[in-house]
Amino acid sequence: MPAVPGLGSLNFPWMESSRRFVKERFSAALTPFTVTRRIGHPYQNRTPPKRKKPRTSFSRVQICELEKRFHRQKYLASAERAALAKSLKMTDAQVKTWFQNRRTKWRRQTAEEREAERQQANRLMLQLQHDAFQKSLSDSIQPDPLCLHNSSLFALQNLQPWEEDAGKMAPVTSLV
C-alpha cells in the first residue's frame, strides 16, 4: 500500500486484516490442487501430432489407367479396387483415395459446365428476345402523322402489330 503523505506509513487494523485475508485465500486456492500452469496456447503443450506422409506421386501410366477406369466406372467395389491396386502396384487405400478425390473433381467440373451452359442459354434467349423486339419495331406500320401528335391514337396504332389481321386494318387518320 502506498504511504499517505504526512501520515507516514499508517496501518489500520482493517487494512491488515483485508491484506491477510487476500493472502490466505490465494494460498488456500493453490495449495490443495498444485496445478502447474500452462503458458501459451492450450494446444501447444499437447504431444506433437504424427508427421504426415509425403504426397505420393503416381506415374503417368498409373494415372492413365486410373482415369480410364474412372471414365468407365465412377465407383469401385472393394474386390475391384483391390485388383486394380494390385495391377497398378498401388495400395488399396491409394486407389480408394484417388477415386474419392477424382469424384470430387468430377462433380465440381460438371457443376461448372452446367452453370456455363445455363448462362449461355440465358444469353441466347436474351439475344433472341432482343432480335424479335428489333424486328417488330422495324416491321411495324409506319406511324400516321396525326397519330404521332396524339398519344392515345399512337398507342392504338401500336397495338396492331400483334393482331393477326394487322395488315387489313387501316391506320387511323382523322378524328370523327
Side-chain angles (χ1 to χ4, degrees), residues 55-168:
R55 182 176 174 162
T56 306
S57 297
F58 300 124
S59 70
R60 290 181 184 201
V61 173
Q62 288 173 322
I63 292 172
C64 185
E65 288 300 315
L66 288 165
E67 285 288 350
K68 276 197 268 183
R69 186 63 177 263
F70 181 80
H71 184 70
R72 285 192 319 247
Q73 196 175 355
K74 304 294 185 256
Y75 291 87
L76 296 177
S78 60
E80 294 170 324
R81 187 174 62 235
L84 182 62
K86 186 176 180 182
S87 71
L88 295 176
K89 296 186 175 109
M90 296 169 67
T91 66
D92 192 56
Q94 286 175 324
V95 173
K96 182 178 181 178
T97 303
W98 188 91
F99 264 79
Q100 287 172 338
N101 292 340
R102 187 61 181 88
R103 281 192 297 268
T104 302
K105 179 180 177 182
W106 172 67
R107 285 187 195 105
R108 188 189 69 243
Q109 286 173 334
T110 54
E112 288 171 358
E113 288 168 5
R114 280 193 306 269
E115 179 62 21
E117 289 169 358
R118 188 186 66 77
Q119 289 178 358
Q120 186 178 4
N122 284 344
R123 284 192 295 275
L124 180 62
M125 285 299 295
L126 286 173
Q127 184 63 44
L128 290 173
Q129 288 173 346
H130 178 26
D131 293 348
F133 178 71
Q134 292 297 326
K135 186 177 184 303
S136 71
L137 287 179
S138 65
D139 291 349
S140 65
I141 300 170
Q142 294 302 318
D144 192 359
L146 180 62
C147 294
L148 286 175
H149 301 292
N150 185 324
S151 60
S152 297
L153 290 175
F154 183 74
L156 284 172
Q157 187 177 25
N158 283 335
L159 287 176
Q160 293 176 3
W162 56 77
E163 292 288 330
E164 282 187 21
D165 300 326
K168 296 179 184 176

Side-chain angles (χ1 to χ4, degrees), residues 38-57:
R38 291 184 180 188
I39 299 171
H41 196 271
Y43 295 125
Q44 287 177 339
N45 293 334
R46 289 187 176 176
T47 58
K50 291 181 180 177
R51 291 264 180 213
K52 285 186 176 180
K53 290 181 184 176
R55 182 176 174 162
T56 306
S57 297

